[in-house]
Amino acid sequence: MEEALGSKEFQRICDEIKLYRRYEGDLNVWTDYVKPKEIDYEPTQLTMNYPRKLIDSTAAWQFEKEPKVTVPPDVLDDPADMIKPGYTPSPLQEEENSRAKAKERLLTWVWEENRMHEKLLAAAKDRAISRTGVYARLHYDTRRGEIKILWHPSTEVIAVHNEWDVDQLDEVHFVAWLDEEQTKLWKLSYYLVWKGDEDTGNYDCEIEEAIYDDGLTLVEKRVERESMGLDFIPVVHVPTDKLSGQTSGFSELEKLIETADEIDRKLSDYSDALRFEMFAITLLTNVEYDPKNPFKIAPGAIWDLGETNKEIGEPDAKKLESGFKFKEAIEAYLDRLQKRLHEISEVPMVNTADLNTGGINDLALKMLYSSIISKTQRAWIVWQSRLQTLNEYILRYMKARQEHPRFKYEKEWLAKVDSNYGSKIVFGLPLPEDQKALVEQLGEEIAYELESVKGAITRSGKENAEVKFMEILQERNLKKQVGDPYKAEPEPTSNE
């Protein structure tokens, strides 16, 4: 396997497998521990797995609140005319509004069918564990006529990046064992090939799928290498935090390991010290001890230490106790380690006693969680751009498969989609919002024309913003008709 992958890529996969084992708890500070021969007891080996808790918390901050897909229409009419009373959208603006709505409906359709909220929460954990990131692969299911979004950890992916542009994938290979005995290796490959000359040529994505044995001998050719009819590889790489020009970055989990291991060691030592304090070593002096007839260890037990011998001395029994004098020092040390662990992960340690102040407003709450909010928003920068690319690939993939007999998506909507595939992902922090303050803020933004009604509904967390928006328009027109004795024409709803 190492010869086929190359030593660098093979080592990368091995290292990332270890990181996943760390997250699962199979690999820890005690994995390679060997008990010293001079110790006559089994030392305590505690594993708290703090990194897993912090990784889960990091992912929850990013995607615990469901992200929404929106496609805002371009403004084609004169903004000065659009704010005038009685404004009616031009035919071009009407067409653009309808086109944006069609894109949003198609994308929302695919997202909901693929349970993207659930999948993104899991993918955020993969991204935090890995050095390389996580990969989303698009697959058109010919049996159901629908697009699948399949997520893969970096341990299953071998990506070949363009030598000039690291964001472009020239080849992507997915590999995984199909059985626990590791005798059948599945491999799915995508190749981005330039066909023709520089002026009139174009990119073409080719696909190949096969099964190999453990010696990498071909067993079954599932798909011969052929064109997919796409000019892009239907794979999106969501990288970790990295520097410019790099294809891999830094693992969130990896930077927690050293401190977490020290906590496990010190907690285990603390546990052993407590055992020795509770069950101290018994020291017998001037006593003829018979191992075959040991002293009884029980409450109220009576020991016969024998008679005093002038040559040996008076028999005696005592406990070797330390007094547990290091208790404050070890607890202070563990507190510092845990604080350091949270500083590295940027997940704050919040003491519930700090919140017992008779109420805490929205701004104070955000200040309390400022570090994790900043980290979450930095992660959203990456997720925003990569999910926008994924949405573009979804629409382009739909266009390429719309003539398939089982194609299930609304072709009338797809016909409205032009070459502008722009979309926006609306994220939300899992904070208990001050709803009154939020509504007041959104109301002011609408009044000052800094936000649309539909955008405000989305930000408020309401489901089906478009449906709720239409309900508001209908109620507004109904009130106007009831209160207007001259029965004026209702407001047009398409421009709201």
Side-chain angles (χ1 to χ4, degrees):
M1 183 67 75
E2 184 174 359
E3 294 179 1
L5 297 178
S7 58
K8 183 178 180 181
E9 191 68 12
F10 180 79
Q11 187 60 48
R12 192 267 305 173
I13 293 176
C14 290
D15 291 342
E16 295 197 337
I17 288 175
K18 290 181 180 179
L19 291 175
Y20 274 92
R21 291 182 61 200
R22 271 280 182 173
Y23 174 82
E24 293 164 357
D26 295 337
L27 186 66
N28 53 62
V29 66
W30 307 110
T31 300
D32 299 322
Y33 174 78
V34 178
K35 187 182 75 171
K37 296 180 180 179
E38 60 271 15
I39 294 180
D40 294 327
Y41 69 98
E42 288 295 330
T44 303
Q45 298 179 8
L46 295 176
T47 53
M48 309 306 294
N49 205 354
Y50 279 115
R52 178 172 180 171
K53 176 182 180 299
L54 295 173
I55 292 300
D56 290 350
S57 297
T58 299
W61 272 89
Q62 294 174 21
F63 290 114
E64 182 177 309
K65 193 170 183 179
E66 184 177 6
K68 304 290 185 180
V69 182
T70 63
V71 181
D74 292 336
V75 177
L76 302 180
D77 287 354
D78 187 346
D81 293 334
M82 296 177 71
I83 63 174
K84 293 179 180 179
Y87 159 75
T88 301
S90 67
L92 286 177
Q93 187 65 59
E94 285 273 17
E95 184 181 353
E96 172 60 21
N97 294 347
S98 178
R99 184 163 40 242
K101 187 179 295 184
K103 295 176 190 175
E104 184 174 311
R105 285 176 173 175
L106 289 169
L107 291 173
T108 303
W109 190 344
V110 175
W111 272 50
E112 289 179 352
E113 280 191 340
N114 283 274
R115 302 183 180 90
M116 279 292 279
H117 187 198
E118 172 189 339
K119 301 294 179 61
L120 285 172
L121 185 59
K125 297 177 184 180
D126 286 295
R127 180 176 178 266
I129 295 169
S130 167
R131 295 175 184 169
T132 311
V134 64
Y135 293 80
R137 176 171 65 91
L138 296 179
H139 169 70
Y140 180 73
D141 187 343
T142 56
R143 296 180 179 180
R144 298 182 180 273
E146 61 187 21
I147 291 179
K148 295 289 188 182
I149 304 175
L150 308 172
W151 293 88
H152 295 266
S154 58
T155 53
E156 295 180 357
V157 185
I158 302 164
V160 179
H161 296 260
N162 186 275
E163 59 183 4
W164 290 98
D165 181 6
V166 294
D167 289 330
Q168 177 177 312
L169 297 171
D170 287 344
E171 296 180 19
V172 184
H173 307 275
F174 295 91
V175 293
W177 294 107
L178 298 180
D179 56 346
E180 295 183 359
E181 294 76 18
Q182 297 188 352
T183 60
K184 293 182 179 180
L185 181 67
W186 169 76
K187 177 174 174 284
L188 175 66
S189 300
Y190 296 94
Y191 306 89
L192 191 62
V193 181
W194 180 261
K195 294 185 177 180
D197 56 37
E198 288 296 323
D199 296 328
T200 61
N202 60 278
Y203 279 111
D204 183 51
C205 179
E206 297 179 348
I207 186 173
E208 183 181 34
E209 185 179 9
I211 305 296
Y212 300 85
D213 61 16
D214 53 359
L216 299 184
T217 301
L218 181 63
V219 175
E220 176 188 356
K221 197 75 168 181
R222 289 188 173 180
V223 178
E224 294 287 347
R225 182 163 172 171
E226 61 184 11
S227 173
M228 293 185 67
L230 304 173
D231 60 356
F232 62 94
I233 292 180
V235 174
V236 175
H237 175 210
V238 185
T240 57
D241 291 338
K242 60 186 181 69
L243 302 178
S244 299
Q246 293 184 342
T247 56
S248 62
F250 309 97
S251 166
E252 290 288 332
L253 183 141
E254 191 170 18
K255 63 185 182 182
L256 305 174
I257 290 176
E258 184 177 355
T259 305
D261 284 353
E262 179 66 5
I263 291 176
D264 286 346
R265 282 192 291 263
K266 288 300 177 284
L267 281 174
S268 299
D269 292 344
Y270 197 10
S271 177
D272 284 338
L274 186 60
R275 287 164 61 192
F276 277 104
E277 189 66 23
M278 295 174 64
F279 308 102
I281 296 175
T282 303
L283 180 63
L284 300 175
T285 56
N286 305 327
V287 175
E288 295 182 2
Y289 180 73
D290 183 5
K292 295 181 180 180
N293 187 25
F295 294 132
K296 184 181 295 185
I297 307 295
I302 299 175
W303 291 357
D304 183 5
L305 301 181
E307 299 178 356
T308 301
N309 190 316
K310 295 182 180 180
E311 297 180 358
I312 300 177
E314 183 178 353
D316 189 20
K318 63 178 64 176
K319 296 286 186 179
L320 292 180
E321 297 177 337
S322 65
F324 222 43
K325 298 177 181 179
F326 59 88
K327 176 178 179 293
E328 290 77 12
I330 188 64
E331 289 182 351
Y333 181 57
L334 285 170
D335 286 344
R336 287 196 298 269
L337 287 175
Q338 289 181 339
K339 288 180 180 178
R340 177 58 181 160
L341 197 65
H342 282 264
E343 287 174 1
I344 296 172
S345 65
E346 299 182 66
V347 177
M349 291 182 68
V350 178
N351 187 350
T352 54
D354 298 338
L355 302 179
N356 294 332
T357 57
I360 185 167
N361 61 29
D362 184 54
L363 180 60
L365 194 63
K366 289 182 178 179
M367 290 296 294
L368 192 63
Y369 291 100
S370 60
S371 60
I372 187 62
I373 290 175
S374 174
K375 180 178 182 178
T376 300
Q377 291 174 335
R378 296 196 306 269
W380 284 345
I381 294 173
V382 178
W383 282 106
Q384 180 74 248
S385 64
R386 305 299 165 148
L387 291 176
Q388 285 174 335
T389 301
L390 184 66
N391 287 341
E392 175 186 343
Y393 287 177
I394 289 172
L395 294 174
R396 292 168 68 181
Y397 211 154
M398 280 186 180
K399 285 186 174 182
R401 296 293 182 267
Q402 61 182 321
E403 300 304 325
H404 188 269
R406 292 196 183 95
F407 186 80
K408 67 181 291 185
Y409 303 103
E410 184 60 56
K411 293 185 179 181
E412 184 180 346
W413 296 350
L414 189 59
K416 297 179 181 180
V417 177
D418 56 6
S419 58
N420 179 10
Y421 302 103
S423 64
K424 182 180 179 182
I425 315 301
V426 179
F427 301 101
L429 292 169
L431 286 172
E433 295 280 2
D434 185 341
Q435 194 65 20
K436 181 180 178 182
L438 178 62
V439 170
E440 290 176 353
Q441 177 186 343
L442 293 175
E444 290 179 358
E445 291 184 10
I446 293 173
Y448 287 106
E449 298 175 358
L450 299 175
E451 179 62 280
S452 66
V453 176
K454 182 180 175 183
I457 296 172
T458 301
R459 287 171 53 192
S460 70
K462 299 284 187 183
E463 295 291 336
N464 298 321
E466 185 176 335
V467 174
K468 183 64 65 177
F469 178 51
M470 296 305 297
E471 290 177 0
I472 293 172
L473 291 179
Q474 291 172 1
E475 291 180 0
R476 183 187 298 176
N477 286 328
L478 181 60
K479 290 178 181 178
K480 182 175 292 187
Q481 291 174 7
V482 171
D484 186 0
Y486 300 102
K487 303 298 180 183
E489 291 294 326
E491 294 183 26
T493 60
S494 57
N495 69 308
E496 297 286 345

